[in-house]
Amino acid sequence: MAKEEGLAIGIDLGTTYSCVAVWQEQHCRVEIIHNDQGNNTTPSSVAFTDHERLIGDAAKNQAATDPENTIFDAKRLIGRKYSEHNVQKDKMLWPFKVVAGANDKPMIVVKYKGQEKQLCAEEVSSMILVKLRDIAEAFLEKPRKPTMDAGAIAGLNVIRIINEPAAAAIAYGLDKRSLDIDQQTKVDIDTINSLSSISRKNILRVYFTQDREIKRKNKVDISGNPRALRRLRTACERAKRTLSSAVTTKVDVDAIFQGIDFNSSISRVRFEEINMELFEECIETVEKCLTDAKMDKSSVHDVVLVGGSSRIPKVQQLLQAFFNGKDLCKSINPDEAVAYGAAVKAALLSKCFKNVPDLVLLDVTPLSLGVSVKGDLMSVVVPRNTSIPRKMKQEFRTSVDNQSLARIMVYEGERTRASDNNLLGSFVLSGFPPAPRGHPLYVSFSIDENGILSVSAEEKTTVNKNEITIINDNKDRLSAKEIERMIQEAKFYEAEDREFLKKANTKYDLDDCVYRSRNVLKKVCIRSIVRPKEKEDLRSAINRATDLLDEENEQYDIAVFEACLKELESSLERFESW
């Protein structure tokens, strides 16, 4: 989102198509801005030739003739590592070349003006942003002034980043502003994340079906020809869109390979059959969303459809059936809803607009956030589904005597064992004076409106402080699919994690009892005569407990630690009573 005096611009930087909208104070409404081709959406494509760089429709139009130098889907590579399974899988389907760069960063290879050039996904996305900015400038007939470093690469004044579901819900809320918005519960079928993935996958499933037909009918294999593959993919995408309104459509590509014309057809029934698994995943996503929100589907007032694939009749049918026949809201073009809502939010944040309805939508943390403590335990500071922005602080204590530094390891996840969760980063707090075990340190988690996480640790007596910042597109952050996998794993291993927590707490209690016993023994021995038997009993119990704690003792059952703790506490009690 970006702002200008009297104007607020919203941009939906999509994986396949992008869109830009403007809130104009003088008209008190949002307007979707058409591009130079008269289209309300612009392909998120960039192409390179021997003479120029093409962006948007021009890039997509030449994709069939030069697929190796036409980049699309670049957004899927942002924040990813080249070695990731999904990147390797996607790489096999793209006509352009992707290689490993520094720090395992995926780099896209193109030929531009006769020279090979490597681009990261962020560079490609910035080119698309520049194009969208130019579209807005041409429509508004004045250039915009960049004022924030965050938007410098695209020349934008970025005032807030919001997620796509929130933007879409704002768009719908404005469209229905006569309703009491605060009293309405809406489900934005994002499916934006899940449907955009479904959109791509169902095109590919049609694509592979047709590819097999080419092999069967014509006995040729086009898999090694990027131009033929790109033309077939485009035809399949067009077929998928047509089937949203027609019951059957043709897939025709003239001279697709070696002079062969490819002519086929696909029905909506067949399309639904080969993609039913994906459609069912969409419904599962909605169901999990309601479960996480601890609400029943009967309490949902409106179901908002967003994203091109929400036009698929079978998706609409399944959603309507899931919500017991409730009518689905289709009042806003699903391709434009995100940009529409982003423009409204930009206007709200600009403060200077008087006629913008104030719609409040809260984002939440998808996973719990915390730090690792002794015993590889995950100590949660920010619970899952906490609304943001939010700042939370927790006190921790040193685990050994004379400790003068502490490593803070930041994790996200739902497992009890810290190492089973996702490590986001770590830093060291040092320079505080040596002190007995149990010296307090304070760790703060702060998440801003853009989802940027800052974790700081402070020691009060010296005011020593250190921190780390983790942004949403950090390569170590998890994708939506990985988040869901971790949530399901936490449920599957719930009993195992309970046992681990119980055992870890017993070990901590045993370690604490050893510490107290040694201090008591030391103090009493200094100031008075001690009966040898009680002294020896306590010392032996301390040694047995220490040996047990020092061993690689994962094979020992919790009962072993409980028995050792009981023995040590009994010896300590006898010693203190004497």
Side-chain angles (χ1 to χ4, degrees):
M1 296 176 296
K3 68 177 181 178
E4 179 88 22
E5 185 177 349
L7 303 168
I9 304 296
I11 291 176
D12 171 18
L13 180 61
T15 305
T16 309
Y17 286 90
S18 296
C19 186
V20 60
V22 60
W23 172 277
Q24 298 192 70
E25 177 70 2
Q26 64 187 86
H27 301 304
C28 190
R29 64 183 174 86
V30 169
E31 187 167 355
I32 302 297
I33 301 175
H34 58 75
N35 62 21
D36 48 7
Q37 301 296 309
N39 300 320
N40 286 355
T41 58
T42 299
S44 301
S45 301
V46 179
F48 298 86
T49 73
D50 289 337
H51 309 289
E52 60 184 332
R53 183 186 69 185
L54 305 171
I55 303 172
D57 291 285
K60 187 173 182 181
N61 291 341
Q62 70 100 57
T65 58
D66 191 9
E68 296 95 334
N69 291 305
T70 303
I71 303 170
F72 56 94
D73 279 358
K75 186 178 172 184
R76 299 190 188 282
L77 290 174
I78 293 179
R80 295 287 189 181
K81 294 180 181 178
Y82 177 79
S83 57
E84 285 184 29
H85 173 71
N86 285 343
V87 173
Q88 292 302 308
K89 190 175 177 182
D90 288 342
K91 175 189 167 188
M92 302 303 294
L93 303 171
W94 288 323
F96 50 85
K97 187 178 178 183
V98 179
V99 300
N103 300 319
D104 201 27
K105 187 179 184 71
M107 303 296 290
I108 302 166
V109 181
V110 293
K111 196 172 182 180
Y112 181 40
K113 294 185 177 179
Q115 295 184 337
E116 187 174 277
K117 187 177 180 66
Q118 291 191 4
L119 300 168
C120 65
E122 291 83 352
E123 289 178 274
V124 176
S125 292
S126 74
M127 294 171 190
I128 298 165
L129 278 173
V130 169
K131 175 68 174 178
L132 297 171
R133 181 200 64 188
D134 292 343
I135 289 170
E137 287 179 356
F139 178 82
L140 299 170
E141 298 181 338
K142 62 176 179 178
R144 297 183 29 71
K145 301 174 183 177
T147 59
M148 284 178 59
D149 292 340
I153 192 168
L156 295 173
N157 171 21
V158 181
I159 53 176
R160 179 71 55 81
I161 300 169
I162 61 174
N163 63 36
E164 293 165 332
I170 290 172
Y172 178 76
L174 181 69
D175 184 60
K176 300 293 182 183
R177 57 184 176 272
S178 60
L179 298 176
D180 183 358
I181 298 300
D182 291 336
Q183 301 303 314
Q184 299 291 304
T185 303
K186 296 177 178 58
V187 172
D188 168 21
I189 301 309
D190 170 43
T191 26
I192 286 178
N193 283 331
S194 125
L195 273 182
S196 65
S197 175
I198 284 175
S199 172
R200 180 168 174 270
K201 288 177 182 175
N202 58 39
I203 291 170
L204 291 177
R205 289 194 175 187
V206 175
Y207 164 85
F208 286 125
T209 301
Q210 301 302 319
D211 186 31
R212 285 194 293 271
E213 188 170 339
I214 292 172
K215 291 176 184 175
R216 180 174 56 81
K217 282 185 177 180
N218 301 291
K219 311 301 181 187
V220 296
D221 184 2
I222 68 171
S223 60
N225 189 300
R227 183 177 295 185
L229 292 174
R230 178 64 216 186
R231 295 180 69 197
L232 178 59
R233 183 190 180 109
T234 301
C236 291
E237 181 181 349
R238 187 164 52 246
K240 170 236 169 184
R241 288 171 174 262
T242 302
L243 289 173
S244 292
S245 55
V247 294
T248 185
T249 187
K250 290 184 177 181
V251 181
D252 296 333
V253 185
D254 293 339
I256 187 170
F257 186 64
Q258 296 179 354
I260 297 170
D261 293 339
F262 177 64
N263 306 105
S264 182
S265 64
I266 184 170
S267 67
R268 183 187 294 177
V269 172
R270 176 62 178 146
F271 175 77
E272 291 172 352
E273 180 186 330
I274 63 178
N275 288 290
M276 185 54 70
E277 181 186 342
L278 298 174
F279 299 155
E280 288 172 350
E281 283 181 19
C282 166
I283 304 304
E284 288 172 9
T285 301
V286 176
E287 191 168 15
K288 287 169 185 171
C289 172
L290 293 172
T291 301
D292 288 347
K294 297 181 175 60
M295 61 185 294
D296 187 79
K297 58 186 176 183
S298 61
S299 62
V300 174
H301 292 81
D302 297 297
V303 182
V304 185
L305 298 179
V306 179
S309 287
S310 64
R311 290 191 178 95
I312 297 173
K314 193 63 178 181
V315 172
Q316 295 183 0
Q317 180 188 334
L318 291 172
L319 285 170
Q320 192 162 19
F322 177 80
F323 285 102
N324 302 323
K326 182 181 290 295
D327 289 336
L328 308 178
C329 301
K330 308 173 190 176
S331 58
I332 293 179
N333 185 329
D335 292 329
E336 302 168 359
V338 173
Y340 191 112
V344 175
K345 187 66 175 178
L348 283 168
L349 293 171
S350 297
K351 307 291 187 186
C352 55
F353 298 124
K354 301 173 183 177
N355 299 313
V356 190
D358 193 1
L359 308 174
V360 178
L361 286 149
L362 298 177
D363 201 358
V364 298
T365 56
L367 290 172
S368 298
L369 299 166
V371 299
S372 173
V373 296
K374 187 172 181 179
D376 194 25
L377 281 175
M378 168 77 162
S379 180
V380 174
V381 178
V382 182
R384 177 175 166 235
N385 286 333
T386 297
S387 60
I388 60 174
R390 182 64 63 94
K391 185 171 184 178
M392 303 181 82
K393 181 186 284 190
Q394 195 164 308
E395 180 185 291
F396 294 90
R397 294 183 176 272
T398 55
S399 56
V400 297
D401 287 340
N402 300 317
Q403 187 174 334
S404 58
L405 62 84
R407 178 172 293 279
I408 312 298
M409 302 184 72
V410 183
Y411 286 88
E412 63 177 349
E414 304 307 313
R415 299 293 302 278
T416 302
R417 197 191 309 259
S419 57
D420 286 337
N421 294 314
N422 184 46
L423 177 64
L424 295 176
S426 65
F427 62 96
V428 174
L429 178 65
S430 61
F432 50 89
R437 165 178 168 154
H439 185 67
L441 305 173
Y442 298 91
V443 177
S444 296
F445 278 60
S446 178
I447 312 172
D448 69 10
E449 297 87 347
N450 297 321
I452 296 175
L453 168 66
S454 296
V455 182
S456 64
E458 183 179 12
E459 194 279 322
K460 294 290 188 181
T461 61
T462 58
V463 201
N464 276 359
K465 189 175 182 179
N466 200 0
E467 64 181 339
I468 187 173
T469 299
I470 300 157
I471 60 175
N472 270 331
D473 60 356
N474 187 296
K475 59 183 174 62
D476 294 320
R477 295 309 293 267
L478 296 172
S479 67
K481 191 171 184 179
E482 290 168 326
I483 288 171
E484 184 54 41
R485 174 185 58 77
M486 291 188 73
I487 292 171
Q488 294 307 312
E489 277 185 3
K491 292 177 181 176
F492 183 79
Y493 292 109
E494 189 173 358
E496 181 182 314
D497 284 351
R498 272 199 306 269
E499 277 302 303
F500 175 78
L501 179 61
K502 188 177 178 183
K503 185 175 178 179
N505 286 335
T506 303
K507 289 169 71 174
Y508 178 83
D509 290 342
L510 180 59
D511 184 56
D512 186 60
C513 193
V514 168
Y515 179 77
R516 288 187 288 110
S517 299
R518 281 176 174 160
N519 283 342
V520 169
L521 188 61
K522 189 186 299 181
K523 289 176 183 177
V524 173
C525 287
I526 289 173
R527 72 171 195 265
S528 64
I529 299 173
V530 182
R531 288 172 60 183
K533 185 178 185 309
E534 282 74 13
K535 178 180 176 181
E536 188 56 36
D537 286 348
L538 181 57
R539 194 168 277 159
S540 296
I542 291 172
N543 290 339
R544 282 192 292 274
T546 302
D547 290 343
L548 184 60
L549 289 169
D550 288 344
E551 286 182 26
E552 293 292 333
N553 47 40
E554 288 303 315
Q555 73 274 18
Y556 292 136
D557 189 80
I558 186 174
V560 176
F561 293 95
E562 289 176 336
C564 189
L565 176 60
K566 188 174 180 180
E567 179 194 4
L568 182 56
E569 286 177 333
S570 178
S571 296
L572 179 60
E573 188 177 340
R574 288 197 303 271
F575 187 84
E576 287 180 321
S577 64
W578 185 85

